[in-house]
Amino acid sequence: MNTLLQSIAAGRAVAREDLGPLLALFEPGDQEALFKAAYAMKLKQVGPKVYFRGIIEYSNICEKNCYYCGIRRDNRKVRRFQMTREEILGAAKWAHASRYGSIVLQGGERQDKKHAEFIEDILRVVKRETNGELGITLSLGEQPRDTFERWFAAGGHRYLLRIETSNPRLYAKLHPADHSHAARLQCLDDLKAIGYQVGTGVMIGLPDQTLDDLASDIEFFRERDIDMIGMGPYIVHSETPLAAEMPDFAEKARGQLDLALRMIAVTRLYLRDVNIASTTALQALDAQGREMGLQAGANIIMPNITDTKYRDAYQLYENKPCLDENAALCRNCLQRRVESVGETIGFGEWGDSPHFQKRTGS
Ligand code: 5AD
Ligand code: SF4
Ligand code: FES
């Protein structure tokens, strides 16, 4: 075994300068050893329990035009939809009845007042109808600070906002000129100051992204004291401008998956007590992708609870799984997958990030 890995498996703490070399360990034997070390760290820090977050992808209407994303504004081939208030409530109640600790409300970015009010109303009703028991995470892009504040007051208590990459030059290549990296970082600061549990993440294996960039991403999570990480492999969507940069994606898929798993493992080893999601994009590259994520150190799974009729229209990347399935099928399927790797699901618990609990003394 690689000597660096040997010392880490023996208990030496991972240092900043180890991140790049660990991410570079692509030999199968080394990778397995890395995942094992990360898994041991996960057991010690957060235990063998997986928490379910039912994700409602409630609308694909987006003001933004990110070069990699299948629901970007300029993709005219997408049928736009927004779930109704009743449909969203129905999904939330289903999650509560299924004893999911929380839901994630995700959608394209919209900054208009009407939208902010729509979400605020949903938050209040979901809280009321589930006796305050269902946790609610929001994943609705960049917003003005007062919108974040209103949503927090209405019951949102976690927020996911990926930075996509910590490298501003790479960010600029992936987005039109009016999409600002600095604005995104400001949002993370605002969310934390308001009191949210803050989640962020990056895409892994982007065109022109280096291992140094990924190492800096992990350091960014540490510097910003991030509570929750959601990151996954970059996957080409053919109706996007970025697709031309990776015409050979099919041959790269395995490498993308491995790199994403190493990123999860190294993040677990370095940050220790955060919640890390085993994201759906892993499953787009391998049927067992999400189980692999758990075994590389992730402890959160986000089963899709969106109405089946809308799933086809919410494809940020290609090969997204579960387009024809419904919430109950995904629950049973994922429960089986979690149990197949010897883990259990923390039904009826919020499963807050231990990092957040320590950070706030809660
Ligand atoms: N491949 C992988 N992830 C993507 N996302 C958007 N497009 C893609 C893609 N082509 C991710 C972004 C965004 C999240 C909601 O989905 O990281 O923040
Ligand atoms: Fe909109 Fe998010 Fe897709 Fe960008 S990544 S186009 S903000 S849904
Ligand atoms: Fe949806 Fe397997 S996760 S059917």
Side-chain angles (χ1 to χ4, degrees), residues 34-161:
L34 174 69
F35 298 159
K36 255 187 144 162
Y39 194 78
M41 179 64 82
K42 160 174 137 173
L43 288 187
K44 200 162 119 203
Q45 296 285 335
V46 300
K49 219 186 250 180
V50 175
Y51 296 100
F52 273 2
R53 321 303 195 194
I55 182 163
I56 308 172
E57 297 161 336
Y58 93 97
S59 171
N60 65 0
I61 300 169
C62 188
E63 290 167 0
K64 290 227 160 143
N65 226 350
C66 308
Y67 292 148
Y68 43 84
C69 176
I71 64 168
R72 61 197 301 273
R73 188 180 66 221
D74 284 355
N75 185 2
R76 307 263 175 248
K77 294 199 175 158
V78 174
R79 172 178 55 90
R80 302 288 163 173
F81 75 92
Q82 178 172 324
M83 283 169 70
T84 65
R85 182 179 186 271
E86 283 60 43
E87 286 171 331
I88 298 171
L89 281 180
K93 282 193 201 162
W94 183 90
H96 184 235
S98 303
R99 307 191 61 239
Y100 287 10
S102 61
I103 54 168
V104 180
L105 196 57
Q106 186 176 82
E109 188 171 308
R110 277 179 58 183
Q111 295 200 359
D112 55 290
K113 197 157 169 272
K114 211 175 126 208
H115 172 255
E117 284 166 2
F118 177 77
I119 297 295
E120 191 178 350
D121 169 59
I122 298 270
L123 287 167
R124 291 195 196 281
V125 184
V126 170
K127 276 283 150 194
R128 194 176 64 225
E129 306 246 325
T130 64
N131 312 315
E133 286 163 12
L134 191 66
I136 311 178
T137 304
L138 298 172
S139 177
L140 301 168
E142 294 169 23
Q143 298 291 336
R145 182 168 173 145
D146 71 299
T147 302
F148 287 147
E149 281 168 353
R150 285 173 64 168
W151 291 347
F152 187 72
H157 57 112
R158 302 184 183 131
Y159 205 103
L160 297 174
L161 183 64

Side-chain angles (χ1 to χ4, degrees), residues 4 16 107 308 318:
L4 171 59
R16 169 69 180 92
T308 309
E318 277 160 8

Side-chain angles (χ1 to χ4, degrees), residues 66-71 106-107 139 161-164 184 201-204 206 230-237 240 242 281 314-318:
C66 308
Y67 292 148
Y68 43 84
C69 176
I71 64 168
Q106 186 176 82
S139 177
L161 183 64
R162 291 189 180 180
I163 52 163
E164 316 302 355
R184 180 122 344 165
V202 296
M203 283 180 288
I204 302 155
L206 289 158
M231 55 189 176
Y234 163 65
I235 299 174
V236 164
H237 190 297
T240 60
L242 206 65
Y314 200 89
Q315 295 189 64
L316 282 52
Y317 47 81
E318 277 160 8

Side-chain angles (χ1 to χ4, degrees), residues 283 290 322 325 330 333-334:
Q283 196 179 330
R290 282 201 267 196
C322 314
E325 279 73 14
C330 285
C333 170
L334 288 168

